[in-house]
Amino acid sequence: DGGITQSPKYLFRKEGQNVTLSCEQNLNHDAMYWYRQDPGQGLRLIYYSQIVNDFQKGDIAEGYSVSREKKESFPLTVTSAQKNPTAFYLCASSSHRSLEYGYTFGSGTRLTVV
Amino acid sequence: GESVGLHLPTLSVQEGDNSIINCAYSNSASDYFIWYKQESGKGPQFIIDIRSNMDKRQGQRVTVLLNKTVKHLSLQIAATQPGDSAVYFCADRPSGGYNKLIFGAGTRLAVHP
């Protein structure tokens, strides 16, 4: 079955530590996205990538970094510069050729600072 | 829609009633609209979509209405069930170029027995 997989489901980070969230898709989608969701709030765009080796900042990119070395993978690193990283992180993908069904979302990673 | 950092509004309904969730979007050039359902601790899932050349589209127990004149989108859920309890997001795609969706803030639907 095609889909988008995020790992881990839960992640704990110590103060001052960088952590990387994994996002892999086997849908052959061109574009991938990272969103942050705080409790009781909507989705805020962190970074997005339209094609391999290219990505753009979203609305809240500070303290985050990404890479897109492969079409299937779009990992997100939460750096120590992100002062309030505790949140639910969602990865999504979409095809340039067709927007039917919009974005496909992963099941999310819940990051907690300890 | 425009995603803002506000707490989600809540719509409370009785089981069996019809629910109507509303959404406003800002870009009059948007050509595609979509509704997502997000259950607690999970990623959003596709419910139904509609293109700008349509006013109404029906799915199983759900109907989406599009009013381009006032830039308004609504999701109607018939005979609401406890399993419909979730957060519902609308999204629109500004036409031309890259297909990036703009998400609304979301509405929490609470279904009471």
Side-chain angles (χ1 to χ4, degrees):
Chain A
D1 283 336
I4 183 165
T5 302
Q6 289 186 242
S7 62
K9 190 171 178 66
Y10 299 96
L11 186 57
F12 297 90
R13 192 194 92 167
K14 295 181 180 179
E15 297 276 357
Q17 192 178 47
N18 292 356
V19 290
T20 297
L21 284 59
S22 171
C23 180
E24 303 276 334
Q25 54 98 1
N26 60 3
L27 300 165
N28 198 32
H29 282 173
D30 305 289
M32 297 186 74
Y33 316 80
W34 274 105
Y35 286 89
R36 170 180 171 142
Q37 187 174 35
D38 291 283
Q41 297 190 21
L43 305 175
R44 292 190 287 169
L45 182 64
I46 305 172
Y47 268 98
Y48 63 100
S49 168
Q50 302 179 43
I51 56 172
V52 175
N53 293 322
D54 185 58
F55 48 84
Q56 287 79 41
K57 293 181 178 180
D59 302 318
I60 56 165
E62 186 175 347
Y64 299 97
S65 66
V66 292
S67 63
R68 187 86 188 277
E69 297 176 2
K70 298 186 300 180
K71 188 175 185 179
E72 302 79 19
S73 179
F74 191 41
L76 173 74
T77 296
V78 184
T79 75
S80 56
Q82 172 50 241
K83 297 307 178 189
N84 184 22
T86 295
F88 189 52
Y89 291 86
L90 286 162
C91 180
S93 67
S94 70
S95 170
H96 285 328
R97 296 168 194 79
S98 168
L99 196 55
E100 285 193 1
Y101 305 113
Y103 293 178
T104 300
F105 282 90
S107 55
T109 293
R110 187 167 300 281
L111 175 63
T112 304
V113 173
V114 296
Chain B
E2 286 188 40
S3 182
V4 295
L6 301 173
H7 284 275
L8 301 173
T10 298
L11 173 66
S12 293
V13 300
Q14 292 292 123
E15 182 178 355
D17 286 352
N18 297 334
S19 302
I20 301 176
I21 301 171
N22 297 304
C23 180
Y25 63 95
S26 59
N27 194 326
S28 58
S30 290
D31 63 356
Y32 176 81
F33 306 85
I34 190 167
W35 280 98
Y36 285 95
K37 173 185 179 182
Q38 185 181 24
E39 296 177 274
S40 181
K42 298 182 179 179
Q45 290 190 307
F46 168 87
I47 302 174
I48 191 168
D49 59 0
I50 187 169
R51 299 192 182 277
S52 58
N53 60 354
M54 303 171 68
D55 297 323
K56 179 179 178 179
R57 190 172 187 207
Q58 288 184 292
Q60 191 173 24
R61 279 202 310 119
V62 294
T63 301
V64 56
L65 298 177
L66 176 61
N67 185 330
K68 295 181 287 294
T69 303
V70 295
K71 292 184 284 187
H72 183 268
L73 193 67
S74 69
L75 176 71
Q76 299 179 359
I77 304 174
T80 313
Q81 303 168 359
D84 295 326
S85 294
V87 174
Y88 290 81
F89 292 99
C90 69
D92 64 285
R93 180 186 81 154
S95 66
Y98 174 62
N99 57 359
K100 181 178 158 195
L101 293 177
I102 308 298
F103 285 88
T107 296
R108 182 177 306 279
L109 177 65
V111 182
H112 302 286

